[in-house]
Structures are given as structure tokens and as C-alpha cells.
Amino acid sequence: MSRVLSPAVRTTQLLSAMSLSDKLALLSGVDPHAALGVADGPLYVGYVPGNPSLCIPALTLNDGPAGVADLQVGTTAFPAPIAQAATWNMRLEHKFGQALGMEAWNKGINVVLAPDVNIARVPENGRNFEAFGEDPFLSGQTAVAAIDGIQQNAVIATVKHYAVNSQETNRYYVSSNLDDRTLHEIYLPPFAAAVAQAKVGAVMCAYGFVNGVASCQEPNLLKTVLRTELGFRGVVMSDWGSTWSTVDGANSGLDLEMPGGRFFAAPLADAVSAGMVKTSTIDAMARSILMPMFRLGLFDDPPPPLSAVSLTDVSTPADKQLALEIAEQGTVLLKNDSSALPLRLRAGDSVAVIGAPAGFGDIRPYIGGGGSSFVISATPVTPLDAITARAAKAGATVVSANGIDPVAAAQAAGTATVAVVFVYDQEREGEDRPNLDLPAGQDQLVEQVAQANPNTIVVLDTGGPVLMPWLDQVPGVLEAWYPGQRDGDAIAAILFGDAEPSGRLPQTFPSSDTAVPASTMDQWPGTRLAQDAAFSEGIDVGYRWYDANKVAPLFPFGFGLSYTSFAYSHLRIARARANVTVSFIVTNTGARAGSDVPQVYVDDPRAAGEPPKQLQGFEKVFLRPRWSKRVTVALTPPSFSYWDSTARRWRMAPGLYRILVGASSRDIRLRGFLRQPGP
Ligand code: NOJ
């Protein structure tokens, strides 16, 4: 078949050469161990056999969001997606996507099960680390950058988990009950961006239910919204074991059952014979799978076979460097009293490096979160090693304590010039955190170390927000998330000022377990008996809720300090037909080069019924000391629209809109106005 023909024509031609059973064989996976005769070791997490007589390649599927996972060896462990989002650097995220797609392809994989764009509704979500935070716009843009990069290779990206899959408690059965406006304004936009802006090839439908219907057989979600409203033309695959039925699944818009064919395969063939599923439906399902395969090059540019590459190291020096840059740019400086950071150590000074995540053998927690996205990294660089090496350059020495015994840790801290305490949480797929406390007595550890040495810096290796009862007792706090395999290199460079922590929070950090948008049991985790989670906070998710209810967070969305300082000025708002350009000048007013992330929020007229402000644009800028740059952010009609549930369409409320430019959602520095005529 010719490559000159369009993917649609090639798909049609191929379909006309296929029998019903050829088509049915495409619609479910098989056990890759059995199919490939591999007992253990690196393998695909999903496998759909090819059809050699028709030249259809097999689909070889692997996770995921932080690098090529599922026991694959020789791949790069990148920082967790929450850290990727915290970079607010879309060029960097695009490079991440390219690297991920390339490593996958080199490992024989042609479908990557990433990115995860589920909105951070509750900070306790066990997969908080695996997605891009609480804001639909930031999540969408980060996803677009990643998908674009992945699909520059002959690899299909999979945006997941569709939809409203925002908790792990009772994850197979919980029903997310929400209204249509909340669905469209908060939970769908990242998927919409992935489809419209990145032309993602695959969508994975989720575990769990939406308004009482299983996600993988919810016709409103899979057909009306995804196909008609969003215009998706690719494949809808189930999550692993999230298919609930044969006839309803196929007729509601699910194309591919994974990982096996419990409901599709033979039962689907029977359903077709019985007239319960039409052959035209089977055609449409097969078309949805074949189209992105043609469009993204899976037929023309097949990856090497697993047997040839299962032990190959595909992590290039450039990929490792990228993992370092993301870790640095994703790290958020939360507190820095009296310029405690960067450290200024002289010969003879000493650093106490404390806590399990610094790298003390087996007790070290993840450099990524637990579950399907976990990447095995042969050689993670530990903070203890990297800090020891960097301190030596300054003529300083290191003392260390693993933190299991707080008394020993305090003793080590007491003897040192400065103490750096690493603390962690353990997020993993399959369960939510019980609360927002640091586990395993780590609050006491920080308190005792801070008492022994007032010059204490806390490094958080957490997948999301935690409470910090000791915050007043320490001058410096860094949120490093799960930093991937260059962990130690990144944190040592930041501590010593060789690199700057230029991340901004993609998620609000609450001041208590209860001062959060979903604070009742009905909201989260839901009542297990009814299996319902009431999304009664509606569109007031994340900072939208804190703003609407005037609740002060511990650290607001968009927040992050810098080793230098920035000023914003000269706001200009210009209109060209329906589009609006917001521009302003950012100046580095400090003495160091550094990066800033000015954020553009829109405050709609009250009649629209929207929260006080919503992120609609941002840019990461790097500036030398005393340099300025005019930043331009384009706003389009969607930036000014709300979802009208009655009319089932986006609508622009007429009236006065405020344009807010801030260094965070709670640090608005410039304000302007714009009058919109409405529809
Ligand atoms: C279940 C997870 O929810 C999904 O994200 C992952 O891609 C599959 N398992 C395959 O590992």
C-alpha cells in the first residue's frame, strides 16, 4: 500500500480486505507472555497481535507518564508528572515527550500509555503525583506538549483516564457524580486540548463510574462528548480490566478491550452473530484503531522486536540531562527566609544530610510514585552522594543520619553549619493517602533537627501537598516531588546555587486536612455502600474554591520563590477580532539570572457564575539580572467562556472581564479590563 494515500484512504482500503474475524482480532489484547513465549523479564504491559498476511503490525503497549515503565530496563526515570507540570515550561515538556516516545520506540513499543491528565481534586489522591495538578488549562497545555513530543516518533500517545478518575479509594466502583458544567469546565478540558491541539491517537477510558455509568460504556462521554463535541477520531481503549460488558461496551463507543478479551474476542463475535452488535459498529471500531496507526507511522516505521532490544540501554546522555533539567525546573522554593538558600559554605563548614530519601540503602523511598508508572532506574543518583561531592568542592564536609532515630539525627544536625532534612510521602496507585500528614514520624524528625540547628532546610520528596506543622521553625523549604533518577544531582545543584529552583505549584497546598474543597465524607472518599462520590463543590476545584470561599491556603496555586526577584509592568490589552492579546514587561530586579512564570488569570463578569479567577495563559521566562522582556499571551474566545448546560454549548457572558497578571494565583501584580459583547 502506498504511503502517499491519506490515512483515511489507507484505512478504508485495508478494511475492505479484512474479514469479520480479522477485524474482531484487532479489538482486544492477548496475554503478551503467552503470545511472545516470554516467561518473565521486561515485557509489554499490553499486546494486540498483528496480522502478518495483511501487514498489520502488532500493538505493543507500555506505561507511562514518568518514562518507559513496566519492568523495562535501560530507560530513563524522569521526574513525576506533577514535577513536569511544576516546571510550567512547555518547551521542556515537549522535549520530555520526544525522549519518552523515542525510548519507547527503541524498546519495541508503539503505544505509550501516557499522559495522565486527571485533575487533582483531592490532595490525598494516590495518583496525585502521576498527573499535572488541579488546573484544567495548565494540565491541558502540559499534556499537549508531551503528546506532541511522543507522537513525533512512530508511537501513539494515550491520554488517560477518561474521565473524572480523581481518586484511588474504591477505584473500580466509585461513581463520580457531577453536573455537566463541572464536567466540561474542570474535568474535560485537558482531554479536549489533547484531541484538538495535539491530535492524540488514543484515549483510555477509566476505572470507575460517572454518574452511575461505567466510564468504558458511558455513551454520553464516549460518543456525544468525545466523538461529536471534541471530534476525536482515534482509538478508545479500556483501562486494564475496566471493561464491563460486551454489547453495551461495543455499542457505547469502546473500541479496544485491554489487556485481554474477556468481553470482546469470542463474546463479541457471538454478539455480532446474534445481531446485538452491528457489523458496521465493528467496522467503526476497527477503523478507530487503524486510523491513528496509519496516521502516526506505525505501519511504515515499525519498532524493533522485543527479543532484539529487551536488554538494550536506550537512555541517552541527552535524556539523562533532560531528566536533570526537569527535576531542577520543577523544584519549587516554598520558603527562603533571610536568603537561607543557596547555601554559602566555606572551607571547614559542614552539612548534615538527614532523612531516608537522601539515600540510605533499602529505606529509600521512590524517586517516582508507586504503581504502573514506576520506572526502574539502574542508577539513581542519591542526594547524599551528590551533596557530599558538591560540598567537597566547597571544602565542606558532610555528616549524615538516616532519620529513623530522631535523637541521632538531631545530634548530627547540632554539630553542622547547616542541616538539610529530606522527608517523603508514599503515594501509590491503588490507594489514597489517609491524610496529608508526613508519615513515619517525620514531622517530629524535622522539629527535632530544627531545634538542634536553626539553620535547617527541608526538602520535600512528596507526590503532592503535605501539612507542615514545623514551617515556622525552619528558614528554607523546597518541594522536589518525586524527582526521577537525577534526584541527587538536581537537589545538590539547587542547594548550592549552581541551578535555580524555578518551579511553581501546579496545585494548592492546604493549611489543614479540612480546609479543602472536598472536606466531607460524601465528597471524598464517598460512601462505600452507595459507591458515590458527590462532586458537590462543582467547579470550585483547587484555587477556584479557595478564592471563592476566601480560605487562605498554606501555599497558593502558581506560587514559587526564586533566587532573584521580578517586577511586572506596562500591561497592554489589545483586541484583534475575537482574539485578545495580553502583554506586559517582566524585569529581573535582582542580582542573579533567573526564571519566572508570570500567569494570566481572567475574572469573568459575575453573571457568568464563574470562580473569581481562572488561569488562561502563562509563560516561563529566563532573564539575566536587570534585563526585561515583553511577554505576550494570546487569549481566545474559550478563555472567556463558560459551559451552558441547558444549551449544551460554550457561551460568553457579556460584560466587563478583569485581566489579572500575577506571580501566583494570590499575588496579582497587574490588572486590566476588557469589555466583551457576548455571543
Ligand atoms: C492501570 C492504570 O490505571 C493505567 O494507568 C495503566 O496504563 C494500566 N494499568 C496498564 O499498566
Side-chain angles (χ1 to χ4, degrees):
M1 237 185 279
S2 160
R3 293 189 191 199
V4 180
L5 299 175
S6 72
V9 171
R10 292 174 76 180
T11 302
T12 305
Q13 287 185 349
L14 178 54
L15 279 172
S16 69
M18 291 170 78
S19 66
L20 179 64
S21 64
D22 290 335
K23 291 169 194 165
L24 285 165
L26 275 184
L27 308 183
S28 52
V30 300
D31 177 7
H33 294 88
L36 297 165
V38 178
D40 51 19
L43 194 56
Y44 315 116
V45 74
Y47 185 73
V48 182
N51 184 331
S53 64
L54 289 165
C55 300
I56 301 175
L59 289 177
T60 49
L61 304 88
N62 265 73
D63 293 289
V68 179
D70 304 312
L71 304 182
Q72 294 283 355
V73 295
T75 63
T76 309
F78 288 96
I82 194 76
Q84 297 166 25
T87 68
W88 296 63
N89 185 336
M90 299 301 111
R91 281 180 296 274
L92 202 58
E93 185 65 10
H94 187 254
K95 283 194 196 171
F96 159 73
Q98 286 178 311
L100 172 61
M102 176 76 87
E103 289 194 10
W105 192 90
N106 282 328
K107 279 288 180 185
I109 295 151
N110 58 16
V111 181
V112 170
L113 305 174
D116 175 345
V117 298
N118 292 129
I119 292 293
R121 172 182 181 244
V122 291
E124 292 90 347
N125 177 16
R127 298 182 91 169
N128 193 87
F129 73 92
E130 205 185 309
F132 302 133
E134 72 191 21
D135 182 71
F137 182 76
L138 177 62
S139 298
Q141 293 311 294
T142 311
V144 165
I147 294 164
D148 236 23
I150 294 169
Q151 293 190 162
Q152 282 187 358
N153 304 277
V155 168
I156 292 175
T158 309
V159 68
K160 64 190 189 183
H161 310 79
Y162 188 76
V164 209
N165 184 189
S166 289
Q167 71 180 55
E168 290 298 281
T169 305
N170 201 16
R171 72 167 172 168
Y172 301 113
Y173 303 103
V174 69
S175 177
S176 300
N177 296 340
L178 78 176
D179 60 76
D180 198 44
R181 179 168 182 170
T182 302
L183 177 69
H184 278 81
E185 292 191 9
I186 303 294
Y187 297 94
L188 293 180
F191 292 97
V195 171
Q197 295 173 45
K199 305 230 172 334
V200 71
V203 171
M204 182 189 288
C205 54
Y207 292 135
F209 292 61
V210 177
N211 293 327
V213 185
S215 292
C216 288
Q217 54 182 45
E218 211 288 71
N220 175 52
L221 276 177
L222 299 181
K223 287 190 158 169
T224 313
V225 173
L226 190 59
R227 301 289 183 191
T228 311
E229 280 173 24
L230 306 187
F232 180 61
R233 296 276 166 273
V235 47
V236 175
M237 78 174 80
S238 74
D239 198 342
W240 271 228
S242 72
T243 307
W244 285 86
S245 69
T246 304
V247 175
D248 282 350
N251 288 339
S252 303
L254 175 64
D255 303 311
L256 172 59
E257 180 188 8
M258 291 304 293
R262 177 167 169 222
F263 292 103
F264 281 14
L268 186 52
D270 293 345
V272 174
S273 310
M276 313 278 284
V277 175
K278 294 188 192 137
T279 52
S280 60
T281 302
I282 301 296
D283 281 354
M285 293 161 79
R287 177 179 294 276
S288 299
I289 297 173
L290 293 171
M291 271 276 273
M293 290 176 69
F294 276 120
R295 179 167 63 82
L296 294 165
L298 273 64
F299 279 85
D300 305 324
D301 197 6
L306 177 80
S307 54
V309 290
S310 66
L311 299 177
T312 310
D313 189 343
V314 299
S315 173
T316 66
D319 295 352
K320 295 187 174 81
Q321 173 65 22
L322 187 59
L324 173 65
E325 268 174 56
I326 297 171
E328 289 172 353
Q329 291 206 25
T331 296
V332 185
L333 180 59
L334 293 176
K335 182 171 183 184
N336 196 17
D337 279 5
S338 335
S339 299
L341 289 172
L343 302 176
R344 285 164 298 267
L345 294 184
R346 285 184 292 248
D349 285 349
S350 63
V351 192
V353 178
I354 293 163
F360 293 89
D362 290 346
I363 54 172
R364 181 161 201 282
Y366 325 125
I367 50 166
S372 58
S373 69
F374 187 72
V375 180
I376 299 175
S377 166
T379 51
V381 180
T382 70
L384 180 56
D385 287 348
I387 293 171
T388 304
R390 182 58 183 80
K393 277 199 204 163
T397 53
V398 163
V399 290
S400 66
N402 65 22
I404 290 177
D405 174 4
V407 178
Q411 234 157 34
T415 65
T417 322
V418 53
V420 184
V421 194
F422 291 81
V423 290
Y424 64 93
D425 71 348
Q426 282 176 312
E427 280 184 17
R428 59 171 76 93
E429 181 181 336
E431 64 186 46
D432 291 331
R433 285 189 286 157
N435 54 47
L436 300 178
D437 294 338
L438 287 170
Q442 294 178 94
D443 284 331
Q444 291 82 326
L445 172 67
V446 174
E447 273 158 19
Q448 297 201 21
V449 170
Q451 256 161 37
N453 189 333
N455 205 3
T456 289
I457 309 293
V458 177
V459 178
L460 299 161
D461 277 326
T462 68
V466 290
L467 302 179
M468 305 178 208
W470 33 258
L471 188 60
D472 290 342
Q473 298 157 45
V474 299
V477 181
L478 285 161
E479 173 56 83
W481 316 106
Y482 300 143
Q485 72 182 44
R486 299 297 299 276
D487 180 2
D489 292 328
I491 204 68
I494 286 169
L495 290 169
F496 285 86
D498 308 333
E500 52 157 353
S502 65
R504 302 291 183 265
L505 293 179
Q507 186 170 10
T508 306
F509 276 44
S511 60
S512 80
D513 280 324
T514 48
V516 292
S519 58
T520 69
M521 291 272 285
D522 284 349
Q523 288 172 293
W524 175 82
T527 43
R528 190 172 270 267
L529 217 56
Q531 303 189 332
D532 279 347
F535 283 43
S536 48
E537 71 286 354
I539 54 178
D540 287 342
V541 171
Y543 63 91
R544 289 162 167 78
W545 180 87
Y546 290 83
D547 288 352
N549 293 283
K550 303 198 166 51
V551 175
L554 186 63
F555 294 109
F557 175 83
F559 175 78
L561 300 169
S562 167
Y563 286 165
T564 181
S565 53
F566 297 92
Y568 303 166
S569 64
H570 298 86
L571 176 64
R572 251 191 237 151
I573 301 170
R575 185 201 294 275
R577 277 191 239 148
N579 296 328
V580 172
T581 316
V582 174
S583 78
F584 46 91
I585 291 178
V586 181
T587 305
N588 181 348
T589 52
R592 267 183 75 112
S595 305
D596 189 32
V597 185
Q599 300 151 35
V600 176
Y601 295 87
V602 175
D603 174 10
D604 292 22
R606 284 294 81 93
E610 292 290 274
K613 72 173 89 71
Q614 307 195 69
L615 183 73
Q616 300 294 357
F618 60 87
E619 188 175 314
K620 188 159 203 176
V621 291
F622 177 82
L623 286 168
R624 283 184 256 178
R626 288 174 298 282
W627 281 51
S628 295
K629 186 184 173 193
R630 184 166 278 279
V631 171
T632 303
V633 168
L635 302 180
T636 56
S639 322
F640 304 99
S641 302
Y642 68 93
W643 180 256
D644 179 339
S645 304
T646 317
R648 288 195 65 92
R649 70 174 183 84
W650 294 99
R651 201 184 274 284
M652 190 188 286
L656 206 57
Y657 287 73
R658 287 202 305 157
I659 307 292
L660 310 169
V661 181
S664 83
S665 62
R666 291 271 168 137
D667 183 7
I668 301 303
R669 310 240 182 117
L670 302 172
R671 291 177 174 78
F673 293 95
L674 180 77
R675 187 168 289 284
Q676 292 283 22

